[in-house]
Amino acid sequence: MSKFKFSVGPWNVHAGADSYGPATRQEIDFDTKLAKFAELGFSAIQFHDDDAVPNINAYTEEEIKEKAAALKKKLDKYNLAAEFVAPRLWMDDHTIDGGFMSTSEKDREYAMWRAYRSIDIAKELGCDMIVLWLAREGTLCAESKSPVWATKQLIAAINKMLEYDPKIRVCIEPKPNEPIDRSICGTIGHVMAVSAATIDPSRVGGNLESAHAILAGLDPAHEIGFALAMGKLMTVHLNDQNGIRYDQDKTFGVENLRAAFNQVKVLKENGYGDHGEYVGLDVKAMRTTRDEDSYKHLENSLSIFKYLEEKADKFDYEFQKKCVANRDFEALEMYVMKLLMGVE
Ligand code: 3MF
Ligand code: MG
């Protein structure tokens, strides 16, 4: 029995289209996904603002709240909580050059409108967290905007969100690149610095995604540890990634089992989840996956996480201590490898 609760976003189940080719599976409608997520054992759903209220631009502020309230009823039916709402600032015509740090003042105002609507939706859904994946916040042409100005724009935007609602928490999901060339807030270290510069650092933290850390050349478990040490790990997006290339969102643990084990271990050792935090997945099926297997990558990620949790439960801290005392890290490393291979 896992000690953790799990969450997932509807985009984790998608039709397989990529930048180079069309869909390979049928779209699955939102209600069907919800029922399946509940059946797979997820406790909470993560939303983009327009996952919660599709076609959001077409509605007034009041209508958006009403639609969110209707969604809350649907979630209740499946006993699912809402974990967070994330303004999807990378799909809209108004955010071609980014949102909070767009070179267009009108577009920056639009981005704030989406941020405020995301907060309204979160409140209706009974959650207090806004996730900012800053997809297009940075530069494609380095000389097009000053990184100093852009960083200050981000801090100012977060301050406005904190002022708009005294309870809302803002959780930045850092990523060093893609779709932007040079991002403004690329790692959890950047997130801590931005947090400290806001009007209420206690309400600004991070969402560590394994693949994003790997894209920055960093070890996800250490990045998780860093955020935990700062008391600012608000959620995680666990997945895997084959080195520094396009963002892959692979099934958790399939590329580097030891790194995955250490992510589970650091979460478990530090009481992650004790204050209601969820273990979030951000995984994509392979393009070759057939319709009937549309959820297999989620099932596999959950299973791998839980198997690794069992391994973490078995971890022999006495033996570890002995190895450390003798400076015998070769023996400690071999112990970990045997534990993971099941030959101990
Ligand atoms: C991109 C991501 C995103 C975010 C999501 C929620 C589409 O690399 O990880 O997934 O997690 O938008 O903020
Ligand atoms: Mg993510």
Side-chain angles (χ1 to χ4, degrees):
M1 191 52 190
S2 178
K3 86 181 262 288
F4 295 99
K5 290 183 302 178
F6 298 90
S7 63
V8 65
W11 63 88
N12 279 235
V13 175
H14 89 307
D18 64 20
S19 315
Y20 303 97
T24 55
R25 293 179 289 279
Q26 297 293 317
E27 284 291 347
I28 296 176
D29 69 76
F30 178 70
D31 290 46
T32 311
K33 287 183 191 177
L34 272 194
K36 188 68 183 179
F37 291 155
E39 185 193 316
L40 292 177
F42 287 99
S43 306
I45 306 296
Q46 310 180 334
F47 291 98
H48 294 120
D49 52 355
D50 58 356
D51 291 323
V53 181
N55 207 12
I56 191 167
N57 288 341
Y59 302 111
T60 63
E61 294 172 18
E62 275 319 302
E63 285 168 337
I64 290 169
K65 285 185 198 167
E66 282 162 22
K67 288 186 181 291
L71 170 61
K72 170 79 169 96
K73 291 211 177 98
K74 218 181 258 183
L75 290 175
D76 289 347
K77 201 175 98 190
Y78 293 107
N79 210 8
L80 288 165
E83 186 191 10
F84 67 66
V85 179
R88 182 154 26 200
L89 290 179
W90 53 95
M91 288 288 206
D92 199 272
D93 280 352
H94 299 87
T95 55
I96 289 170
D97 184 36
F100 309 124
M101 52 187 89
S102 167
T103 44
S104 150
E105 190 180 350
K106 266 215 156 65
D107 290 357
R108 294 200 296 274
E109 278 165 18
Y110 173 78
M112 283 316 301
W113 185 82
R114 290 285 292 261
Y116 295 143
R117 299 299 72 75
S118 296
I119 295 172
D120 293 346
I121 293 168
K123 281 169 82 173
E124 294 295 334
L125 296 182
C127 70
D128 69 351
M129 188 154 77
I130 297 299
V131 161
L132 302 179
W133 171 46
L134 302 165
R136 299 193 193 280
E137 308 288 21
T139 56
L140 291 175
C141 169
E143 298 77 15
S144 66
K145 65 185 79 155
S146 150
V148 176
W149 174 85
T151 305
K152 288 182 175 172
Q153 286 300 121
L154 175 62
I155 295 163
I158 294 171
N159 283 343
K160 284 185 197 163
M161 290 176 227
L162 298 172
E163 275 166 356
Y164 181 75
D165 185 292
K167 292 247 158 61
I168 208 73
R169 295 183 301 148
V170 176
C171 173
I172 304 176
E173 181 180 332
K175 187 178 181 183
N177 61 284
E178 200 203 31
I180 205 71
D181 181 4
R182 291 164 170 84
S183 88
I184 285 297
C185 196
T187 69
I188 207 81
H190 292 83
V191 172
M192 294 306 121
V194 168
S195 166
T198 63
I199 54 172
D200 189 355
S202 72
R203 288 195 284 144
V204 184
N207 173 8
L208 192 284
E209 173 157 330
S210 326
H212 296 178
I214 295 166
L215 286 172
L218 298 167
D219 170 33
H222 266 222
E223 297 304 285
I224 287 174
F226 180 77
L228 285 168
M230 300 294 184
K232 286 204 167 38
L233 188 67
M234 291 181 172
T235 190
V236 290
H237 266 177
L238 298 189
N239 56 20
D240 214 345
Q241 166 77 26
N242 177 18
I244 302 176
R245 55 189 76 203
Y246 68 97
D247 186 14
Q248 298 176 318
D249 298 335
K250 288 188 176 201
T251 293
F252 180 60
V254 295
E255 279 298 326
N256 188 336
L257 198 60
R258 185 177 177 189
F261 168 68
N262 282 319
Q263 289 171 69
V264 176
K265 184 166 167 288
V266 74
L267 290 171
K268 179 180 169 270
E269 283 172 351
N270 292 282
Y272 181 83
D274 289 353
H275 303 287
E277 302 93 340
Y278 294 95
V279 171
L281 297 179
D282 197 358
V283 291
K284 266 199 193 82
M286 288 180 237
R287 191 160 191 273
T288 43
T289 300
R290 291 168 189 267
D291 284 275
E292 57 269 35
D293 298 322
S294 290
Y295 297 87
K296 224 176 210 172
H297 60 301
L298 282 171
E299 294 180 62
N300 290 348
S301 293
L302 284 175
S303 297
I304 291 170
F305 185 97
K306 289 173 187 169
Y307 285 133
L308 289 175
E309 198 183 335
E310 283 173 23
K311 298 285 182 187
D313 288 342
K314 281 204 333 214
F315 187 79
D316 186 343
Y317 287 92
E318 283 308 311
F319 183 71
Q320 185 246 13
K321 251 191 235 150
K322 256 189 240 154
C323 291
V324 171
N326 295 333
R327 221 173 66 203
D328 190 357
F329 299 170
E330 304 288 354
L332 178 57
E333 180 168 80
M334 191 57 187
Y335 163 70
V336 173
M337 296 318 288
K338 282 180 153 183
L339 178 69
L340 292 179
M341 291 188 289
V343 295
E344 71 297 9

Short mmCIF file of all heavy atoms in Angstrom, two decimals, residues 11 46 133 173 207 209 212 237 239 247 249 281-282, ligand 2:
data_model
loop_
_atom_site.label_atom_id
_atom_site.label_comp_id
_atom_site.label_asym_id
_atom_site.label_seq_id
_atom_site.Cartn_x
_atom_site.Cartn_y
_atom_site.Cartn_z
N TRP A 11 -4.10 16.05 -20.03
CA TRP A 11 -3.20 16.03 -21.19
C TRP A 11 -2.27 14.82 -21.18
O TRP A 11 -1.61 14.55 -22.19
CB TRP A 11 -2.37 17.32 -21.24
CG TRP A 11 -1.45 17.51 -20.07
CD1 TRP A 11 -0.17 17.04 -19.96
CD2 TRP A 11 -1.73 18.19 -18.84
NE1 TRP A 11 0.36 17.39 -18.73
CE2 TRP A 11 -0.58 18.10 -18.02
CE3 TRP A 11 -2.85 18.88 -18.36
CZ2 TRP A 11 -0.51 18.66 -16.75
CZ3 TRP A 11 -2.78 19.43 -17.08
CH2 TRP A 11 -1.62 19.32 -16.29
N GLN A 46 -5.13 17.53 -12.22
CA GLN A 46 -4.46 18.81 -12.48
C GLN A 46 -5.10 19.40 -13.74
O GLN A 46 -5.38 18.67 -14.70
CB GLN A 46 -2.98 18.57 -12.75
CG GLN A 46 -2.30 17.69 -11.69
CD GLN A 46 -0.82 17.46 -11.97
OE1 GLN A 46 -0.37 17.52 -13.10
NE2 GLN A 46 -0.07 17.21 -10.91
N TRP A 133 3.70 26.95 -15.74
CA TRP A 133 4.73 26.44 -16.64
C TRP A 133 4.95 27.57 -17.64
O TRP A 133 4.05 27.93 -18.40
CB TRP A 133 4.32 25.14 -17.35
CG TRP A 133 5.33 24.81 -18.41
CD1 TRP A 133 6.68 24.84 -18.28
CD2 TRP A 133 5.06 24.46 -19.78
NE1 TRP A 133 7.28 24.54 -19.48
CE2 TRP A 133 6.31 24.29 -20.40
CE3 TRP A 133 3.90 24.26 -20.51
CZ2 TRP A 133 6.43 23.95 -21.75
CZ3 TRP A 133 4.01 23.92 -21.85
CH2 TRP A 133 5.26 23.76 -22.45
N GLU A 173 6.67 25.86 -12.43
CA GLU A 173 7.23 24.61 -12.98
C GLU A 173 8.37 24.98 -13.92
O GLU A 173 8.15 25.33 -15.07
CB GLU A 173 6.13 23.85 -13.73
CG GLU A 173 6.61 22.54 -14.30
CD GLU A 173 5.51 21.79 -15.06
OE1 GLU A 173 4.33 21.94 -14.73
OE2 GLU A 173 5.86 21.05 -15.98
N ASN A 207 7.25 23.28 -8.77
CA ASN A 207 6.81 21.96 -9.24
C ASN A 207 8.01 21.38 -9.98
O ASN A 207 8.36 21.85 -11.06
CB ASN A 207 5.61 22.14 -10.18
CG ASN A 207 5.20 20.83 -10.87
OD1 ASN A 207 5.71 19.76 -10.54
ND2 ASN A 207 4.29 20.93 -11.83
N GLU A 209 9.72 18.91 -12.25
CA GLU A 209 9.47 17.84 -13.23
C GLU A 209 10.79 17.15 -13.55
O GLU A 209 11.78 17.79 -13.94
CB GLU A 209 8.85 18.42 -14.50
CG GLU A 209 8.74 17.36 -15.60
CD GLU A 209 7.70 17.63 -16.65
OE1 GLU A 209 6.67 18.27 -16.33
OE2 GLU A 209 7.90 17.18 -17.78
N HIS A 212 12.36 17.96 -16.91
CA HIS A 212 12.85 19.34 -17.02
C HIS A 212 14.21 19.48 -16.33
O HIS A 212 15.09 20.20 -16.81
CB HIS A 212 11.85 20.32 -16.41
CG HIS A 212 10.53 20.36 -17.14
ND1 HIS A 212 9.47 21.14 -16.73
CD2 HIS A 212 10.09 19.72 -18.25
CE1 HIS A 212 8.44 20.97 -17.56
NE2 HIS A 212 8.80 20.10 -18.48
N HIS A 237 6.20 16.69 -10.99
CA HIS A 237 5.79 16.05 -12.24
C HIS A 237 6.80 14.96 -12.53
O HIS A 237 7.85 15.22 -13.12
CB HIS A 237 5.76 17.08 -13.38
CG HIS A 237 4.41 17.67 -13.58
ND1 HIS A 237 4.14 18.65 -14.50
CD2 HIS A 237 3.23 17.38 -12.99
CE1 HIS A 237 2.86 18.95 -14.46
NE2 HIS A 237 2.29 18.21 -13.54
N ASN A 239 8.38 11.83 -14.33
CA ASN A 239 8.42 11.17 -15.64
C ASN A 239 9.87 10.78 -15.89
O ASN A 239 10.66 10.71 -14.95
CB ASN A 239 7.84 12.09 -16.74
CG ASN A 239 8.52 13.45 -16.84
OD1 ASN A 239 9.64 13.63 -16.37
ND2 ASN A 239 7.84 14.40 -17.45
N ASP A 247 11.84 17.21 -25.28
CA ASP A 247 11.13 16.84 -24.05
C ASP A 247 10.28 15.59 -24.31
O ASP A 247 9.43 15.59 -25.18
CB ASP A 247 10.24 18.03 -23.66
CG ASP A 247 9.56 17.84 -22.32
OD1 ASP A 247 9.95 16.93 -21.57
OD2 ASP A 247 8.64 18.61 -22.04
N ASP A 249 8.79 13.22 -21.77
CA ASP A 249 7.72 12.81 -20.86
C ASP A 249 7.50 11.30 -20.85
O ASP A 249 6.37 10.81 -20.98
CB ASP A 249 6.40 13.53 -21.21
CG ASP A 249 6.49 15.04 -21.06
OD1 ASP A 249 7.35 15.51 -20.29
OD2 ASP A 249 5.72 15.74 -21.73
N LEU A 281 1.98 12.95 -11.96
CA LEU A 281 2.66 12.37 -13.13
C LEU A 281 2.49 13.32 -14.30
O LEU A 281 1.46 13.98 -14.44
CB LEU A 281 2.05 11.02 -13.49
CG LEU A 281 2.16 9.91 -12.44
CD1 LEU A 281 1.46 8.64 -12.97
CD2 LEU A 281 3.62 9.60 -12.10
N ASP A 282 3.52 13.41 -15.14
CA ASP A 282 3.39 14.15 -16.40
C ASP A 282 4.03 13.29 -17.48
O ASP A 282 5.19 13.49 -17.85
CB ASP A 282 4.08 15.52 -16.30
CG ASP A 282 3.62 16.47 -17.40
OD1 ASP A 282 2.81 16.05 -18.25
OD2 ASP A 282 4.08 17.63 -17.43
MG MG B 2 5.02 19.18 -16.53
#
